[in-house]
Amino acid sequence: MFFIRQIQEKDNSAIAAIIRKVSQEFGLAAESGFAVADPILDNLSQVYANQNSHYWVIEDENGQIFGGGGISPLKGDATLLEIQKMYFLPELRGHGFAQKILEQCFTFAKTQQFQACYLETTQSLWQAVKLYEKLGFEHLVSPRGNTGHSQACEIWMLKRL
């Protein structure tokens, strides 16, 4: 059995390790500009404690973390919240947790009075792209804001809430 809860400081190393492992699995190299290179990776609980930010982890009954995802203001465009750092270990995939995290992101964004959510991804994460499309994200022709990943991520998407 798995549970979704807000990230805590004790989760920082586990979720950072998951992001690094999954990034390696899908060939998302740090030197290519993907999120795995972010200097904040080891301190996500502090980062997502900021205003208009939230991060959820998924753990089992033993407290082991299996993945997570978050939302935070888009750098360079304060009118949008960005879906960020959604990574799941293989054991968790295919059980609807990505959709549950995204739905929590949408609810959070609405309560913060935002009108849309943005994300950047890459074709190697094609399963995620299909989910984003299913949930109403539309493809954009160019990136928004200044994520620092736009050169690595060739897919930019927006969902109006």
Side-chain angles (χ1 to χ4, degrees), residues 1-3 5 8 10-15 18 57-67:
M1 181 165 245
F2 294 99
F3 307 93
R5 64 167 173 78
Q8 300 171 10
K10 68 178 183 172
D11 305 321
N12 283 341
S13 61
I15 197 66
I18 289 168
V57 295
I58 302 167
E59 70 176 353
D60 67 8
E61 62 275 2
N62 299 316
Q64 182 179 349
I65 305 296
F66 284 82

Side-chain angles (χ1 to χ4, degrees), residues 107-121:
T107 299
F108 178 81
K110 288 177 188 175
T111 64
Q112 303 302 311
Q113 308 299 314
F114 283 85
Q115 304 299 312
C117 291
Y118 172 80
L119 64 82
E120 295 182 350
T121 191

Side-chain angles (χ1 to χ4, degrees), residues 11 24 29-30 35 49 95 97 103 107 119 122 148:
D11 305 321
Q24 183 178 26
H95 297 284
F97 285 101
E103 288 169 355
T107 299
L119 64 82
T122 183

Side-chain angles (χ1 to χ4, degrees), residues 30-128:
E31 59 272 10
S32 298
F34 290 103
V36 69
D38 287 353
I40 62 167
L41 204 57
D42 293 302
N43 299 302
L44 293 184
S45 67
Q46 293 87 343
V47 171
Y48 288 95
N50 291 324
Q51 184 177 3
N52 294 326
S53 299
H54 205 88
Y55 196 92
W56 296 269
V57 295
I58 302 167
E59 70 176 353
D60 67 8
E61 62 275 2
N62 299 316
Q64 182 179 349
I65 305 296
F66 284 82
I71 190 165
S72 189
L74 176 62
K75 290 179 185 170
D77 186 344
T79 68
L80 294 172
L81 289 184
E82 180 188 14
I83 306 296
Q84 300 176 336
K85 296 181 181 43
M86 294 233 344
Y87 292 87
F88 304 100
L89 291 177
E91 303 92 310
L92 202 63
R93 297 180 201 149
H95 297 284
F97 285 101
Q99 183 168 338
K100 288 177 183 174
I101 294 278
L102 287 166
E103 288 169 355
Q104 291 200 7
C105 288
F106 303 153
T107 299
F108 178 81
K110 288 177 188 175
T111 64
Q112 303 302 311
Q113 308 299 314
F114 283 85
Q115 304 299 312
C117 291
Y118 172 80
L119 64 82
E120 295 182 350
T121 191
T122 183
Q123 189 56 45
S124 65
L125 300 174
W126 62 270
Q127 295 106 329

